[in-house]
Amino acid sequence: MSHLTYGEAGIVGLIQGVTELFPLSSLGHSVLIPAVVGGQWAKDLNVSAPNSPYLAFIVGLHVATAIAMIIYFWRDWVRIIVGFFASLGHFARPEPGTRRWEPQGTDQTLAWMLILATIPVGIAGALLQHLFTDDFAKPRLVAGFLFVNGLILLGGERLRRRGAETEAQQTAADAERAAERQRATVTAGVPGGVAGGGRHSSGQRAVKQQQAGVAVESDRRLVGVGYLGGLILGSMQIFALLPGISRDGIVMVSGMFRGLSRQDAARFSFLLSAPVIFAAGVFKLHDLTGPLGHGIRAQVLFGSVLSGIGAYLALRFLVRYLSDASRTLTPFAIYCLAAGLGSVIYLSVR
């Protein structure tokens, strides 16, 4: 890559952050956008070019994206990490009547599910990196994968409609249970049990407490999938190594096929993505700190900041969007179909 301008770094960084969380494939967009723009962009931002740091730049952006995801779900990650270390203590000194190798409770089980689910894509990424970046990163092929991603999302939405009523009831029940716990906590903390003091818990704090309660209920259902189910869902991330196939999209749809609601499947996908994305980014950062990064590190930092901001805002929007059972994945599917087909036609006739 001859150079990387601030404009290129900023636009690619922002789009990568948004599309990483939306079921639209960030890597697919990182390959397609330079090819469609053409000119210097196509020369500077060619993921398959020899000795090009563009792939390292893209993966480096993922570190910012993963940090944004961890910040958004920080309460959940605190529970999960505490659960992981508690499970190690259980393995060393199991409680009477329990099995040494079996984690106890939702947080411990979910922690090990995420670890096991990450292993397949980690192995595949390490062994097949050049296959995915050199052979499958051709712009027209990527556009075709993006079109397929749209079909996957349509299939998931068709499946979700069959259980839409159950999903709506589940969402309402979660909200009610979270509200009951919140009211009980407020009442217990007020002298004489007067709930009127609960006004101090209103506003954003009350909303966050309710969201935390909903998250706990969701995690209880997720661990019901079991280790094998989590491993299968994690393995679906391997398909997302193909540029144009969305990691969150394919895990979300696969989760719905295994009986999870769309909201629960999306949550597992988001939690599963953070360690994979972060590890992949850290693994490639040495390229940017070496000779390949000379002259572009400031641009990489600029793009990473925009990527992190875009990812955080996209995640906030998407969590709220998916919490409404009346909203669908169809708009994302239509975009993928239109962008994929349009890119194939444009790149073929240009």
Side-chain angles (χ1 to χ4, degrees):
M1 183 167 71
S2 59
H3 68 284
L4 176 69
T5 69
Y6 282 96
E8 293 168 342
I11 292 174
V12 171
L14 184 59
I15 293 176
Q16 190 277 331
V18 173
T19 54
E20 181 65 49
L21 277 303
F22 284 5
L24 304 177
S25 177
S26 62
L27 182 55
H29 282 75
S30 298
V31 173
L32 279 178
I33 289 174
V36 171
V37 174
Q40 192 63 40
W41 277 60
K43 295 179 181 179
D44 291 348
L45 310 180
N46 185 351
V47 72
S48 300
N51 298 321
S52 170
Y54 182 50
L55 179 61
F57 165 64
I58 294 173
V59 180
L61 295 178
H62 283 61
V63 175
T65 303
I67 291 173
M69 298 174 70
I70 292 172
I71 291 174
Y72 185 87
F73 288 113
W74 72 268
R75 292 178 179 82
D76 304 289
W77 280 112
V78 168
R79 286 194 298 105
I80 292 169
I81 292 172
V82 169
F84 169 74
F85 284 107
S87 71
L88 297 182
H90 172 73
F91 296 158
R93 294 183 297 275
E95 298 177 6
T98 63
R99 299 173 180 175
R100 179 186 296 271
W101 54 266
E102 186 174 5
Q104 303 297 301
T106 299
D107 296 338
Q108 294 186 26
T109 304
L110 183 59
W112 283 100
M113 280 181 62
L114 292 173
I115 292 172
L116 292 175
T118 302
I119 293 175
V121 68
I123 295 175
L127 296 179
L128 304 175
Q129 174 186 331
H130 292 292
L131 175 66
F132 288 113
T133 57
D134 296 341
D135 297 337
F136 291 119
K138 310 303 180 185
R140 276 186 288 186
L141 191 57
V142 171
F145 288 140
L146 187 62
F147 184 86
V148 172
N149 189 70
L151 296 178
I152 292 172
L153 296 179
L154 282 181
E157 186 56 39
R158 184 185 181 96
L159 176 68
R160 187 191 72 88
R161 289 185 190 138
R162 301 175 187 173
E165 183 177 350
T166 301
E167 180 179 327
Q169 293 173 351
Q170 175 182 294
T171 301
D174 285 351
E176 179 60 29
R177 280 192 291 268
E180 288 177 357
R181 279 197 300 269
Q182 183 179 337
R183 288 192 294 268
T185 300
V186 170
T187 302
V190 177
V194 180
R199 294 175 182 175
H200 297 290
S201 299
S202 61
Q204 290 187 347
R205 180 178 298 179
V207 172
K208 290 179 180 179
Q209 288 175 345
Q210 185 171 0
Q211 289 174 344
V214 172
V216 170
E217 295 296 334
S218 178
D219 289 348
R220 288 173 180 169
R221 290 189 294 271
L222 288 177
V223 298
V225 174
Y227 293 113
L228 179 59
L231 187 65
I232 292 173
L233 293 180
S235 299
M236 300 306 294
Q237 294 181 106
I238 296 175
F239 292 101
L241 295 175
L242 296 170
I245 303 298
S246 165
R247 181 193 314 275
D248 290 325
I250 196 165
V251 174
M252 195 186 308
V253 171
S254 300
M256 289 190 288
F257 268 98
R258 292 197 62 83
L260 292 174
S261 68
R262 184 184 61 184
Q263 195 171 1
D264 288 348
R267 174 173 173 79
F268 188 71
S269 173
F270 295 147
L271 292 176
L272 191 59
S273 295
V276 174
I277 295 172
F278 188 82
V282 171
F283 180 75
K284 293 293 292 185
L285 278 182
H286 68 88
D287 289 343
L288 293 177
T289 59
L292 288 178
H294 289 168
I296 65 170
R297 293 192 182 102
Q299 294 92 314
V300 171
L301 179 61
F302 176 65
S304 297
V305 170
L306 290 182
S307 180
I309 294 173
Y312 186 86
L313 295 177
L315 188 54
R316 283 190 61 181
F317 169 82
L318 198 57
V319 168
R320 294 178 181 177
Y321 181 89
L322 295 177
S323 65
D324 188 340
S326 66
R327 292 171 175 166
T328 71
L329 296 175
T330 303
F332 303 109
I334 292 175
Y335 169 83
C336 290
L337 294 173
L341 182 60
S343 296
V344 168
I345 295 173
Y346 176 77
L347 294 173
S348 299
V349 301
R350 186 178 61 179

